[in-house]
Amino acid sequence: SPHQANGTSYAATAVAIVTLEAFAGMWINAFIVSVICMAWIQMKSLNSNEKILLLLGCSRFWYLGILWVYSFLSEIYPKYLYIHPLLPLVVSAHGFLNCSNFWVSTCLCVFYCIKIANFSNSVFIYLKVKIDTIVPHLLLGSLPFSLIVGILVYDVTEKTLCKNLNLTRQGIIWKTSITVVAHFSANYFIIGFLFATSFMAVTFSALLLLFSLWRHKRNIQTNSMKDLSMDAHIKAMKSILSFFVMYNIHLIFFIVTMVYTLKGQNDVMLLIYVFLYAFPGVHSLILICSNPKLEKSMLSILSCVNCKVCMKQ
């Protein structure tokens, strides 16, 4: 029927767009991980910035992979998604990786703020001296916290779905006619708490670094001298502000997602997910451009690819 044909066309379009964005983002983050791992093998050690970028690249790679699996199954094979316990496991993995992604991104912003900003406060000076020692503990601490979020999401999802079991000849399959409000409200509350906490940390770091940059620039103008640390301030500020802007856009779309999910409007959800899928890849690309080592490796790869294409032509 025409309605079924339109539904099939919509699903194919959604999967094609999501697949393109997901695999592009996965490639970008896989590039970050591979470059840092090669540097790790050569230098036998990593600095704090590289440790954060390594964990961030890994979490975003698997985050996009899980999102693609969920979107592919929900659009092409929705019945398979509701086979127990596939849906709770996918949602739980998404919660774990989403939490890890945003906490590590927040750690990167806080690291830039502490490492580059200049304040005479004793606590800030202590953090600046100890930041390289603190970073590994922050990264390790984010993993069990993310795991707890993943377990809570799994528990909430399974308890909600257990109320809607349907016994069939194929086994235990979840009903697709589950109340959307009951399914998503608790999960959104958990993820919303994560967003709020991370948002405050990113905002505070951006404001501190911006104030430090303004004060530093004023001191240079007053003393009529040049300072190389100005470039470090500006690069860090660009990185944090880009994440801050994208973070706000992501937060807005998260709220819109919650509203339209509760209303069950799938057409609007496709447009929202297009923006949500773009966030991990675009921000990672910005991080590559702001990191000299990653940018140099990216340009060398692109130049090699360009040379091969020219030789074939």
Side-chain angles (χ1 to χ4, degrees):
S1 64
H3 180 72
Q4 291 178 341
N6 291 334
T8 303
S9 177
Y10 168 81
T13 303
V15 171
I17 295 174
V18 165
T19 299
L20 180 63
E21 289 190 335
F23 280 88
M26 291 174 70
W27 185 90
I28 291 172
N29 286 283
F31 168 78
I32 293 176
V33 172
S34 61
V35 171
I36 294 177
C37 285
M38 287 189 292
W40 193 359
I41 294 172
Q42 293 175 354
M43 304 300 295
K44 306 299 182 182
S45 63
L46 293 175
N47 58 42
S48 298
N49 185 39
E50 291 171 335
K51 291 175 184 177
I52 299 174
L53 290 176
L54 178 61
L55 186 56
L56 182 61
C58 291
S59 64
R60 284 182 170 174
F61 178 87
W62 291 110
Y63 171 75
L64 287 169
I66 290 294
L67 276 180
W68 179 82
V69 169
Y70 178 80
S71 300
F72 181 81
L73 291 177
S74 62
E75 295 293 341
I76 305 300
Y77 301 107
K79 292 183 179 179
Y80 292 99
L81 184 63
Y82 290 94
I83 298 176
H84 183 267
L86 183 58
L87 182 59
L89 287 175
V90 171
V91 175
S92 175
H94 171 268
F96 168 78
L97 293 169
N98 192 34
C99 179
S100 176
N101 175 19
F102 276 96
W103 272 113
V104 176
S105 300
T106 303
C107 287
L108 183 64
C109 292
V110 173
F111 171 78
Y112 283 151
C113 176
I114 295 176
K115 197 74 175 179
I116 297 175
N118 292 315
F119 294 101
S120 58
N121 184 274
S122 58
V123 175
F124 195 87
I125 294 174
Y126 174 81
L127 291 175
K128 184 182 286 288
V129 173
K130 296 291 184 179
I131 186 62
D132 291 325
T133 306
I134 296 173
V135 165
H137 297 288
L138 288 176
L139 297 179
L140 290 175
S142 67
L143 293 179
F145 182 79
S146 301
L147 185 61
I148 291 173
V149 171
I151 293 172
L152 290 175
V153 171
Y154 180 91
D155 184 63
V156 168
T157 305
E158 186 169 24
K159 284 182 179 179
T160 303
L161 297 177
C162 278
K163 300 176 183 178
N164 297 275
L165 283 174
N166 182 27
L167 295 177
T168 66
R169 292 179 182 178
Q170 288 78 20
I172 300 177
I173 299 181
W174 301 113
K175 286 184 178 180
T176 57
S177 58
I178 298 168
T179 304
V180 180
V181 176
H183 184 183
F184 286 98
S185 58
N187 288 345
Y188 275 130
F189 175 79
I190 296 172
I191 300 175
F193 175 77
L194 161 70
F195 269 89
T197 307
S198 181
F199 176 77
M200 288 188 293
V202 173
T203 303
F204 193 62
S205 298
L207 291 176
L208 281 178
L209 193 58
L210 184 62
F211 178 73
S212 176
L213 175 62
W214 171 78
R215 192 177 64 173
H216 190 71
K217 184 178 180 180
R218 188 185 62 179
N219 291 336
I220 291 176
Q221 292 175 346
T222 302
N223 298 326
S224 300
M225 57 182 294
K226 294 184 179 180
D227 194 343
L228 294 177
S229 64
M230 177 65 73
D231 293 333
H233 269 83
I234 294 174
K235 287 182 179 180
M237 198 68 236
K238 287 180 179 179
S239 180
I240 291 182
L241 283 180
S242 64
F243 179 71
F244 180 72
V245 172
M246 295 178 66
Y247 192 96
N248 279 275
I249 296 174
H250 194 278
L251 182 61
I252 291 171
F253 275 101
F254 171 78
I255 297 172
V256 175
T257 301
M258 181 173 61
V259 173
Y260 282 100
T261 298
L262 298 179
K263 292 182 178 181
Q265 299 185 12
N266 294 327
D267 293 338
V268 180
M269 289 299 298
L270 172 62
L271 180 62
I272 294 172
Y273 279 122
V274 167
F275 285 94
L276 293 180
Y277 272 93
F279 172 73
V282 172
H283 183 247
S284 295
L285 190 61
I286 293 174
L287 292 177
I288 291 174
C289 295
S290 61
N291 187 291
K293 183 185 295 184
L294 294 175
E295 185 180 17
K296 183 179 179 181
S297 300
M298 176 69 78
L299 292 176
S300 63
I301 292 175
L302 292 177
S303 62
C304 290
V305 172
N306 188 33
C307 290
K308 290 182 180 180
V309 172
C310 293
M311 290 176 63
K312 289 182 180 180
Q313 292 177 348

